[in-house]
Amino acid sequence: MAMLTVRNLSEEVHRALRVRAAQHGQSMEAEVRDILESVIRPAGRLKLGSLLADMGRQAKLSDEEFAVFEQVRDKTPIRPVNFE
């Protein structure tokens, strides 16, 4: 698991974080993890796969129409990028 050290945190932010953690009944470290998680991965974020699946459902494609996409899809295995 990765670690992160935050330096030069103002006393005001440190105090507010301590209060917020106490209000949620958890440690400051757990509170910071929750804050970062909610910012990096917000609950209402748009996920491309979900959007595409929803578009397919809305289009009401038949199995035959969907099969056309499978026929033209590039099935070449992905190769890692070479920077040399």
Side-chain angles (χ1 to χ4, degrees), residues 2-25:
M3 283 184 27
L4 172 70
T5 301
V6 179
R7 293 184 175 89
N8 301 322
L9 197 60
S10 72
E11 283 299 320
E12 180 182 356
V13 171
H14 186 265
R15 186 173 28 257
L17 183 58
R18 191 170 357 121
V19 169
R20 181 176 166 149
Q23 288 172 339
H24 293 136

Side-chain angles (χ1 to χ4, degrees), residues 51-83:
L51 176 65
L52 292 173
D54 189 44
M55 289 171 59
R57 281 190 290 277
Q58 289 178 12
K60 297 181 182 175
L61 297 176
S62 67
D63 289 342
E64 294 81 21
E65 291 168 325
F66 181 76
V68 171
F69 290 110
E70 282 298 309
Q71 291 171 3
V72 298
R73 183 173 63 91
D74 182 7
K75 297 176 181 110
T76 307
I78 297 172
R79 291 179 296 151
V81 176
N82 184 355
F83 293 104

Side-chain angles (χ1 to χ4, degrees), residues 21-38:
Q23 288 172 339
H24 293 136
Q26 59 186 8
S27 68
M28 286 178 44
E29 187 175 333
E31 187 68 23
V32 169
R33 279 194 299 268
D34 287 350
I35 291 168
L36 290 173
E37 183 79 22
S38 69

